[in-house]
Amino acid sequence: MMAGDWLQGPYVYYLYSTYGYGKGEIGQLFIAGFGSSMLFGTIVGSLADKQGRKRACVTYCITYILSCITKHSPQYKVLMLGRVLGGIATSLLFSAFESWLVAEHFKRGFDQQWLSLTFSKAIFLGNGLVAILSGLFGNVLVDTLALGPVAPFDAASCFLAIGMAIILSTWTENYGDPSESKDLLTQFRGAAVAIASDEKIALLGAIQSLFEGSMYTFVFLWTPALSPNDEDIPHGFIFATFMLASMLGSSLASKLMARSSLRVEGYMQIVFAVSSAALMLPILTTFLVVPTQVKGGSISFAGCVQLLGFCAFESCVGIFWPSIMKMRSQYIPEEARSTIMNFFRIPLNIFVCVVLYNVDAFPITVMFGMCSIFLLVACILQRRLMTISDKPSKTLMLMIFCLS
């Protein structure tokens, strides 16, 4: 599943640029993806809880394969359709799979502490090793074999088809809520009550939105940041480097979570502070390094400095994923897990859409500055979450009262 997603990452912006679209038009395509994730994400998350998480994961595979197929067309409307499909698939990727895993884990009677190890290994292998290999494989397809920037999307479709076959043949189905009488509106109300009534869940959602919003904005910004004068940069190799940094971060996270003396709520404050400082580097290099005006060529000295900062940020991303999964397993009730997790993505997608809509209105350094500020706010909210995390939660009682 992750190979199908990671193969596409380094080449989305590059593919659109080869079709002749500018930064503003590419930004609108990205907005379509995040917008569709915002509009349809909560619905598909609720359907996953009600109709089955396995079925939702299969739907993810089909939707993402269709999205990959649209990349063969240079037509703007077709590419826009592909982004909408990709946004729906992303919502399923970041909710249905985790919800299925957590439910299956408890259904089989495994210890809750084992989830931390599972999440760490999943991030280490899926967001680390697989992502590195995907980046290198994509580089071989595009640069070495000269198959063009659409080749990684074709390879992604193949991996997604294989993953779908494995899901269909080996997974069992599980559901978020055993009641078949609840409609989507009832599920939405239950999820909203859970978020509004429990400050820990609300804080967790805000922290996730701030960090992931900055992360997805970074996904759009890193290519133009490293090649402001159309420098010839190895996209696949740089992406693999990012993923190596992320893998090191996830490895560190597994060691941190294994120590009983450390709390996730505690060390994540440091992670958010470091990530905020890392995204300040593009601003600092503007003042400290003399920019080059030469078109083309290889990556500049300023680009190399920024690349180091970006790798530090990706290391923080590697720590973030297993850590946020651990906190979600602690604070989010199982009854509406997918629905609540997709509720979290609403402010995330609004934030990214607003940033990308104004991508031509502000210099790229301003965009990085905004991300840095949001990460600093996430650090402050994380401190608040740690302060109140020992208080007993009444979320489940309130949800039951509301749904009854």
Side-chain angles (χ1 to χ4, degrees):
M1 296 301 101
M2 296 308 297
D5 185 49
W6 289 126
L7 271 168
Q8 305 176 50
Y11 295 100
V12 176
Y13 189 103
Y14 178 59
L15 175 68
Y16 294 153
S17 65
T18 59
Y19 284 152
Y21 297 112
K23 187 170 66 172
E25 293 169 310
I26 295 175
Q28 292 174 8
L29 288 169
F30 273 76
I31 288 173
F34 290 110
S36 71
S37 182
M38 177 181 64
L39 293 175
F40 301 113
T42 308
I43 297 175
V44 297
S46 299
L47 289 174
D49 285 330
K50 187 176 178 62
Q51 302 297 329
R53 278 79 176 263
K54 174 184 175 181
R55 189 173 300 168
C57 293
V58 172
T59 303
Y60 157 79
C61 296
I62 296 172
T63 307
Y64 225 170
I65 289 173
L66 293 175
S67 175
C68 290
I69 293 173
T70 63
K71 299 299 188 295
H72 281 272
S73 172
Q75 296 297 319
Y76 197 75
K77 291 182 180 179
V78 177
L79 295 174
M80 187 71 73
L81 174 62
R83 290 300 300 174
V84 171
L85 293 172
I88 297 172
T90 300
S91 294
L92 290 168
L93 175 63
F94 288 104
S95 60
F97 286 88
E98 182 180 332
S99 297
W100 180 89
L101 171 63
V102 173
E104 196 70 15
H105 182 94
F106 290 121
K107 186 170 73 173
R108 300 190 182 194
F110 297 148
D111 191 287
Q112 181 175 354
Q113 289 298 112
W114 294 0
L115 273 176
S116 300
L117 181 62
T118 303
F119 288 147
S120 297
K121 288 186 178 297
I123 298 301
F124 182 83
L125 295 174
N127 283 18
L129 184 60
V130 172
I132 292 171
L133 295 175
S134 297
L136 295 175
F137 183 48
N139 207 73
V140 170
L141 293 174
V142 176
D143 295 333
T144 306
L145 300 179
L147 296 178
V150 78
F153 297 91
D154 294 333
S157 298
C158 296
F159 282 110
L160 289 166
I162 294 171
M164 181 171 63
I166 294 173
I167 292 172
L168 289 170
S169 60
T170 62
W171 287 23
T172 59
E173 187 62 275
N174 62 52
Y175 303 86
D177 196 324
S179 173
E180 294 295 330
S181 61
K182 295 175 183 174
D183 55 20
L184 287 177
L185 184 60
T186 305
Q187 288 183 287
F188 292 161
R189 186 168 64 247
V193 167
I195 296 172
S197 62
D198 193 329
E199 187 181 357
K200 292 190 287 291
I201 298 180
L203 283 170
L204 190 64
I207 291 167
Q208 177 179 323
S209 296
L210 288 167
F211 187 88
E212 291 191 31
S214 301
M215 181 185 69
Y216 287 122
T217 304
F218 168 78
V219 169
F220 178 85
L221 294 178
W222 75 262
T223 297
L226 296 180
S227 55
N229 296 305
D230 298 324
E231 288 89 347
D232 186 18
I233 60 174
H235 294 83
F237 182 77
I238 291 176
F239 180 78
T241 305
F242 287 163
M243 294 305 101
L244 176 60
S246 179
M247 185 171 67
L248 294 175
S250 64
S251 179
L252 177 59
S254 65
K255 291 179 171 58
L256 293 173
M257 289 191 291
R259 299 181 61 177
S260 58
S261 59
L262 281 177
R263 296 181 58 189
V264 176
E265 294 85 354
Y267 70 73
M268 283 304 295
Q269 298 175 55
I270 301 174
V271 172
F272 291 138
V274 172
S275 62
S276 176
L279 292 190
M280 283 292 291
L281 268 182
I283 302 174
L284 296 177
T285 55
T286 301
F287 295 100
L288 300 178
V289 180
V290 179
T292 178
Q293 300 299 326
V294 180
K295 290 289 184 180
S298 59
I299 188 170
S300 64
F301 174 73
C304 292
V305 174
Q306 292 181 48
L307 183 59
L308 291 176
F310 293 166
C311 288
F313 176 73
E314 286 291 346
S315 296
C316 293
V317 172
I319 300 174
F320 169 80
W321 284 117
S323 302
I324 198 72
M325 288 176 177
K326 173 76 180 298
M327 289 190 286
R328 285 197 298 242
S329 69
Q330 292 174 340
Y331 299 132
I332 300 179
E334 173 63 25
E335 287 74 16
R337 183 175 299 275
S338 291
T339 308
I340 292 175
M341 287 170 61
N342 276 299
F343 258 94
F344 290 171
R345 298 186 66 82
I346 293 177
L348 181 163
N349 288 303
I350 291 176
F351 163 64
V352 178
C353 287
V354 170
V355 170
L356 295 181
Y357 183 77
N358 295 283
V359 70
D360 279 335
F362 301 101
I364 197 169
T365 51
V366 173
M367 299 294 183
F368 277 112
M370 291 172 56
C371 293
S372 181
I373 292 172
F374 286 127
L375 290 169
L376 191 59
V377 174
C379 177
I380 297 171
L381 295 181
Q382 184 68 48
R383 182 171 181 81
R384 171 61 181 169
L385 178 61
M386 182 176 180
T387 302
I388 68 170
S389 59
D390 291 329
K391 295 181 180 180
S393 174
K394 297 182 180 179
T395 301
L396 185 57
M397 296 176 59
L398 288 170
M399 283 185 66
I400 295 173
F401 174 77
C402 176
L403 296 178
S404 63

PDB file of all heavy atoms in Angstrom, residues 209-223:
ATOM      1  N   SER A 209      -3.597  18.425  13.040  1.00  0.00           N
ATOM      2  CA  SER A 209      -3.894  19.303  11.898  1.00  0.00           C
ATOM      3  C   SER A 209      -2.757  20.280  11.642  1.00  0.00           C
ATOM      4  O   SER A 209      -2.371  20.517  10.489  1.00  0.00           O
ATOM      5  CB  SER A 209      -5.195  20.067  12.155  1.00  0.00           C
ATOM      6  OG  SER A 209      -6.289  19.182  12.240  1.00  0.00           O
ATOM      7  N   LEU A 210      -2.191  20.853  12.703  1.00  0.00           N
ATOM      8  CA  LEU A 210      -1.113  21.821  12.547  1.00  0.00           C
ATOM      9  C   LEU A 210       0.138  21.169  11.969  1.00  0.00           C
ATOM     10  O   LEU A 210       0.783  21.717  11.063  1.00  0.00           O
ATOM     11  CB  LEU A 210      -0.796  22.467  13.895  1.00  0.00           C
ATOM     12  CG  LEU A 210      -1.842  23.458  14.426  1.00  0.00           C
ATOM     13  CD1 LEU A 210      -1.586  23.780  15.888  1.00  0.00           C
ATOM     14  CD2 LEU A 210      -1.843  24.734  13.595  1.00  0.00           C
ATOM     15  N   PHE A 211       0.490  19.990  12.492  1.00  0.00           N
ATOM     16  CA  PHE A 211       1.705  19.342  12.012  1.00  0.00           C
ATOM     17  C   PHE A 211       1.522  18.813  10.597  1.00  0.00           C
ATOM     18  O   PHE A 211       2.363  19.059   9.720  1.00  0.00           O
ATOM     19  CB  PHE A 211       2.106  18.193  12.941  1.00  0.00           C
ATOM     20  CG  PHE A 211       3.444  17.593  12.592  1.00  0.00           C
ATOM     21  CD1 PHE A 211       4.605  18.114  13.125  1.00  0.00           C
ATOM     22  CD2 PHE A 211       3.550  16.529  11.699  1.00  0.00           C
ATOM     23  CE1 PHE A 211       5.853  17.593  12.793  1.00  0.00           C
ATOM     24  CE2 PHE A 211       4.785  16.000  11.355  1.00  0.00           C
ATOM     25  CZ  PHE A 211       5.939  16.529  11.907  1.00  0.00           C
ATOM     26  N   GLU A 212       0.439  18.085  10.352  1.00  0.00           N
ATOM     27  CA  GLU A 212       0.240  17.506   9.024  1.00  0.00           C
ATOM     28  C   GLU A 212      -0.006  18.592   7.977  1.00  0.00           C
ATOM     29  O   GLU A 212       0.381  18.449   6.813  1.00  0.00           O
ATOM     30  CB  GLU A 212      -0.907  16.497   9.050  1.00  0.00           C
ATOM     31  CG  GLU A 212      -0.585  15.231   9.829  1.00  0.00           C
ATOM     32  CD  GLU A 212      -1.627  14.149   9.617  1.00  0.00           C
ATOM     33  OE1 GLU A 212      -2.222  14.098   8.539  1.00  0.00           O
ATOM     34  OE2 GLU A 212      -1.833  13.360  10.558  1.00  0.00           O
ATOM     35  N   GLY A 213      -0.676  19.686   8.388  1.00  0.00           N
ATOM     36  CA  GLY A 213      -0.864  20.789   7.451  1.00  0.00           C
ATOM     37  C   GLY A 213       0.465  21.365   7.011  1.00  0.00           C
ATOM     38  O   GLY A 213       0.685  21.644   5.822  1.00  0.00           O
ATOM     39  N   SER A 214       1.378  21.541   7.962  1.00  0.00           N
ATOM     40  CA  SER A 214       2.724  22.020   7.628  1.00  0.00           C
ATOM     41  C   SER A 214       3.473  21.000   6.776  1.00  0.00           C
ATOM     42  O   SER A 214       4.195  21.360   5.842  1.00  0.00           O
ATOM     43  CB  SER A 214       3.507  22.298   8.918  1.00  0.00           C
ATOM     44  OG  SER A 214       2.857  23.258   9.714  1.00  0.00           O
ATOM     45  N   MET A 215       3.278  19.725   7.095  1.00  0.00           N
ATOM     46  CA  MET A 215       3.968  18.667   6.365  1.00  0.00           C
ATOM     47  C   MET A 215       3.507  18.613   4.905  1.00  0.00           C
ATOM     48  O   MET A 215       4.337  18.514   3.982  1.00  0.00           O
ATOM     49  CB  MET A 215       3.712  17.325   7.037  1.00  0.00           C
ATOM     50  CG  MET A 215       4.408  16.138   6.391  1.00  0.00           C
ATOM     51  SD  MET A 215       3.926  14.580   7.159  1.00  0.00           S
ATOM     52  CE  MET A 215       2.205  14.456   6.630  1.00  0.00           C
ATOM     53  N   TYR A 216       2.203  18.689   4.677  1.00  0.00           N
ATOM     54  CA  TYR A 216       1.701  18.623   3.304  1.00  0.00           C
ATOM     55  C   TYR A 216       2.032  19.888   2.520  1.00  0.00           C
ATOM     56  O   TYR A 216       2.206  19.839   1.298  1.00  0.00           O
ATOM     57  CB  TYR A 216       0.203  18.361   3.307  1.00  0.00           C
ATOM     58  CG  TYR A 216      -0.157  16.949   3.696  1.00  0.00           C
ATOM     59  CD1 TYR A 216      -0.982  16.699   4.790  1.00  0.00           C
ATOM     60  CD2 TYR A 216       0.349  15.868   2.998  1.00  0.00           C
ATOM     61  CE1 TYR A 216      -1.297  15.400   5.163  1.00  0.00           C
ATOM     62  CE2 TYR A 216       0.048  14.570   3.361  1.00  0.00           C
ATOM     63  CZ  TYR A 216      -0.778  14.339   4.443  1.00  0.00           C
ATOM     64  OH  TYR A 216      -1.074  13.051   4.806  1.00  0.00           O
ATOM     65  N   THR A 217       2.093  21.016   3.199  1.00  0.00           N
ATOM     66  CA  THR A 217       2.556  22.231   2.530  1.00  0.00           C
ATOM     67  C   THR A 217       4.016  22.079   2.126  1.00  0.00           C
ATOM     68  O   THR A 217       4.429  22.494   1.031  1.00  0.00           O
ATOM     69  CB  THR A 217       2.398  23.457   3.451  1.00  0.00           C
ATOM     70  OG1 THR A 217       1.027  23.562   3.870  1.00  0.00           O
ATOM     71  CG2 THR A 217       2.799  24.733   2.736  1.00  0.00           C
ATOM     72  N   PHE A 218       4.804  21.466   2.990  1.00  0.00           N
ATOM     73  CA  PHE A 218       6.211  21.184   2.686  1.00  0.00           C
ATOM     74  C   PHE A 218       6.336  20.287   1.454  1.00  0.00           C
ATOM     75  O   PHE A 218       7.238  20.473   0.630  1.00  0.00           O
ATOM     76  CB  PHE A 218       6.869  20.525   3.900  1.00  0.00           C
ATOM     77  CG  PHE A 218       8.221  19.926   3.610  1.00  0.00           C
ATOM     78  CD1 PHE A 218       9.341  20.726   3.503  1.00  0.00           C
ATOM     79  CD2 PHE A 218       8.371  18.557   3.446  1.00  0.00           C
ATOM     80  CE1 PHE A 218      10.590  20.182   3.226  1.00  0.00           C
ATOM     81  CE2 PHE A 218       9.604  17.996   3.166  1.00  0.00           C
ATOM     82  CZ  PHE A 218      10.721  18.813   3.058  1.00  0.00           C
ATOM     83  N   VAL A 219       5.432  19.316   1.316  1.00  0.00           N
ATOM     84  CA  VAL A 219       5.452  18.423   0.153  1.00  0.00           C
ATOM     85  C   VAL A 219       5.349  19.231  -1.138  1.00  0.00           C
ATOM     86  O   VAL A 219       6.012  18.913  -2.138  1.00  0.00           O
ATOM     87  CB  VAL A 219       4.300  17.394   0.248  1.00  0.00           C
ATOM     88  CG1 VAL A 219       4.129  16.643  -1.066  1.00  0.00           C
ATOM     89  CG2 VAL A 219       4.557  16.411   1.382  1.00  0.00           C
ATOM     90  N   PHE A 220       4.552  20.290  -1.100  1.00  0.00           N
ATOM     91  CA  PHE A 220       4.406  21.146  -2.289  1.00  0.00           C
ATOM     92  C   PHE A 220       5.612  22.067  -2.464  1.00  0.00           C
ATOM     93  O   PHE A 220       6.019  22.364  -3.591  1.00  0.00           O
ATOM     94  CB  PHE A 220       3.132  21.988  -2.157  1.00  0.00           C
ATOM     95  CG  PHE A 220       2.910  22.943  -3.298  1.00  0.00           C
ATOM     96  CD1 PHE A 220       2.283  22.522  -4.456  1.00  0.00           C
ATOM     97  CD2 PHE A 220       3.331  24.261  -3.212  1.00  0.00           C
ATOM     98  CE1 PHE A 220       2.084  23.396  -5.511  1.00  0.00           C
ATOM     99  CE2 PHE A 220       3.138  25.150  -4.264  1.00  0.00           C
ATOM    100  CZ  PHE A 220       2.507  24.708  -5.417  1.00  0.00           C
ATOM    101  N   LEU A 221       6.214  22.511  -1.359  1.00  0.00           N
ATOM    102  CA  LEU A 221       7.225  23.566  -1.420  1.00  0.00           C
ATOM    103  C   LEU A 221       8.645  23.082  -1.650  1.00  0.00           C
ATOM    104  O   LEU A 221       9.479  23.849  -2.143  1.00  0.00           O
ATOM    105  CB  LEU A 221       7.194  24.380  -0.113  1.00  0.00           C
ATOM    106  CG  LEU A 221       5.935  25.195   0.185  1.00  0.00           C
ATOM    107  CD1 LEU A 221       6.071  25.877   1.542  1.00  0.00           C
ATOM    108  CD2 LEU A 221       5.687  26.227  -0.903  1.00  0.00           C
ATOM    109  N   TRP A 222       8.960  21.822  -1.314  1.00  0.00           N
ATOM    110  CA  TRP A 222      10.374  21.446  -1.330  1.00  0.00           C
ATOM    111  C   TRP A 222      10.984  21.461  -2.738  1.00  0.00           C
ATOM    112  O   TRP A 222      12.152  21.818  -2.903  1.00  0.00           O
ATOM    113  CB  TRP A 222      10.601  20.104  -0.634  1.00  0.00           C
ATOM    114  CG  TRP A 222      10.194  18.852  -1.343  1.00  0.00           C
ATOM    115  CD1 TRP A 222       9.039  18.158  -1.159  1.00  0.00           C
ATOM    116  CD2 TRP A 222      10.961  18.102  -2.314  1.00  0.00           C
ATOM    117  NE1 TRP A 222       9.017  17.032  -1.951  1.00  0.00           N
ATOM    118  CE2 TRP A 222      10.187  16.976  -2.668  1.00  0.00           C
ATOM    119  CE3 TRP A 222      12.199  18.263  -2.915  1.00  0.00           C
ATOM    120  CZ2 TRP A 222      10.622  16.027  -3.598  1.00  0.00           C
ATOM    121  CZ3 TRP A 222      12.635  17.320  -3.845  1.00  0.00           C
ATOM    122  CH2 TRP A 222      11.857  16.221  -4.173  1.00  0.00           C
ATOM    123  N   THR A 223      10.196  21.097  -3.746  1.00  0.00           N
ATOM    124  CA  THR A 223      10.745  21.101  -5.111  1.00  0.00           C
ATOM    125  C   THR A 223      11.110  22.511  -5.577  1.00  0.00           C
ATOM    126  O   THR A 223      12.251  22.741  -6.006  1.00  0.00           O
ATOM    127  CB  THR A 223       9.769  20.434  -6.094  1.00  0.00           C
ATOM    128  OG1 THR A 223       9.599  19.066  -5.731  1.00  0.00           O
ATOM    129  CG2 THR A 223      10.309  20.495  -7.510  1.00  0.00           C
TER     130      THR A 223
END
